Amino acid sequence: MTKAISIAALLFFSAWPMQAQTAGEVVDAFFEALNAKNHQSLDAICLDDMQLHTLSLAGDIVLNSQSKQGFIDAIKSIPRETKIFEEIISEEALVTEYLAQYTMPYAFYVNGTLSHTGTNVITLLKTKEGWRISYIADTRKKS
């Protein structure tokens, strides 16, 4: 019985990021969760009113906006057999006591094939619960 409770507790808490994380650890956790399609972890490390803006750079420039829930729903809709991987090429960070911003060129793969490239800009706020992602902007250029 104790072993079952310990396993259940481990599984429950493994979905939630640690409270005492740095901004950089939250960014790393975001990409680990994204690549694993772990919507519970993504939900936990993003503020409820997080916004995403994407500039698609194929011919005409198209701006798309998405709420946190829209993002989570999109991750949930990816078929189980589809593998995704966002490779971060490099990272620049500006971190202050309560604000952090990361700029990261990336390459995005679907089932091992390059889908698109671009740049992410992620903004974090340090709340009483710890660092949380408040905003994501990215560019996407088809490969």
Side-chain angles (χ1 to χ4, degrees), residues 12 21 25 33 35-36 41 52 54-55 59 63 110 115 124 136 143:
F12 175 77
Q21 291 182 327
E25 288 170 334
N35 292 334
S41 289
L52 294 92
T54 298
L55 283 175
L63 173 64
V110 177
S115 168
L124 299 93
I136 300 173
S143 297

Side-chain angles (χ1 to χ4, degrees), residues 28-109:
D28 291 345
F30 175 84
F31 288 105
E32 289 172 16
L34 177 67
N35 292 334
K37 298 183 288 189
N38 183 336
H39 60 89
Q40 294 98 343
S41 289
L42 291 169
D43 186 41
I45 61 179
C46 297
L47 292 175
D48 288 339
D49 60 351
M50 181 190 77
Q51 289 292 305
L52 294 92
H53 286 104
T54 298
L55 283 175
S56 296
L57 306 174
D60 293 336
I61 295 175
V62 178
L63 173 64
N64 293 303
S65 299
Q66 195 172 42
S67 67
K68 173 185 169 180
Q69 191 56 54
F71 174 67
I72 297 294
D73 290 345
I75 297 301
K76 286 180 176 180
S77 74
I78 299 171
R80 182 175 298 218
E81 64 276 3
T82 300
K83 304 294 181 209
I84 62 171
F85 179 70
E86 186 155 338
E87 175 187 16
I88 302 303
I89 308 302
S90 64
E91 177 182 293
E92 282 186 46
L94 174 63
V95 181
T96 65
E97 189 175 0
Y98 291 97
L99 297 169
Q101 188 168 56
Y102 288 77
T103 302
M104 298 162 286
Y106 72 91
F108 191 85
Y109 297 85

